[in-house]
Amino acid sequence: MTAESFEFRSVEWLTAGAVGEPGQRAFYIQARGSGSQVSLLVEKEQVRRLAELAQELLSRVDVAVTPDDLDTSAQALREPLEPAWRAGTMSLGMDADGKNFLLEAEELTDEEASSPAVARFWMTQDQLVRLAAYAAYAVQAGARERCRLCGRPIDVDGHVCPATNGHGSLTV
């Protein structure tokens, strides 16, 4: 069965965010356009890189993403959060004058699958600024405390630290 492809030539709204508890979060790219909404399941690292690349592209046209650009209520993920598919590769590009941007995601498939589904989301510079601000916020919002001995994240229900050979309790 082939997954559906999406082309939103002019998104009404686009975000990258997460739901769930730190260490157990699920990350999504979500867009709305032409009366439709689509959610794609992505990895935290993809959202982090998207925020970084967006800021890099915007800086090329002398636009900076600032804390004032963060609007947590307007950019929060919206129900339903049923992903159409999981994204494998993603790319972000801009037109020659830096006014319009394209986020493209390709479905993660196994090697035997025919052609993967593709999602293309065209957005304005202002929409990319808001996306970059919220994506960076979403990644940082779930940051867990790090172990002072091994540097690994500490879960709410504990941490078995390799530096203590997994023995004894660890207080940070």
Side-chain angles (χ1 to χ4, degrees):
M1 185 170 152
T2 305
E4 183 179 359
S5 289
F6 303 94
E7 178 108 16
F8 290 8
R9 296 294 283 162
S10 180
V11 296
E12 297 164 14
W13 175 81
L14 180 69
T15 195
V19 295
E21 295 298 316
Q24 303 296 318
R25 297 188 304 158
F27 285 81
Y28 297 88
I29 299 289
Q30 196 174 60
R32 188 174 59 237
S34 304
S36 298
Q37 178 173 297
V38 64
S39 300
L40 303 177
L41 193 59
V42 296
E43 296 294 324
K44 177 181 179 179
E45 183 64 14
Q46 289 174 300
V47 173
R48 186 184 70 74
R49 288 292 300 138
L50 175 61
E52 289 174 356
L53 183 55
Q55 291 177 54
E56 181 182 316
L57 289 176
L58 288 164
S59 72
R60 292 181 190 173
V61 290
D62 295 323
V63 174
V65 178
T66 70
D68 293 336
D69 297 314
L70 180 62
D71 185 344
T72 56
S73 60
Q75 288 298 116
L77 293 169
R78 299 176 184 168
E79 295 292 335
L81 273 176
E82 295 296 322
W85 35 265
R86 178 180 289 278
T89 60
M90 292 186 354
S91 61
L92 181 65
M94 69 178 174
D95 63 8
D97 63 358
K99 299 290 182 200
N100 295 294
F101 297 81
L102 171 63
L103 172 60
E104 186 174 273
E106 188 174 282
E107 177 189 20
L108 180 65
T109 61
D110 59 22
E111 293 179 22
E112 296 174 12
S114 53
S115 59
V118 175
R120 291 184 185 92
F121 305 120
W122 301 83
M123 71 199 96
T124 65
Q125 190 179 86
D126 288 340
Q127 288 171 321
L128 183 61
V129 166
R130 290 190 297 274
L131 170 66
Y134 193 77
Y137 164 79
V139 168
Q140 187 58 36
R144 292 176 282 164
E145 185 178 349
R146 296 268 180 189
C147 173
R148 62 182 165 77
L149 299 176
C150 71
R152 292 183 177 171
I154 299 175
D155 292 325
V156 252
D157 53 342
H159 170 70
V160 178
C161 180
T164 62
N165 199 24
H167 298 285
S169 62
L170 178 65
T171 57
V172 179

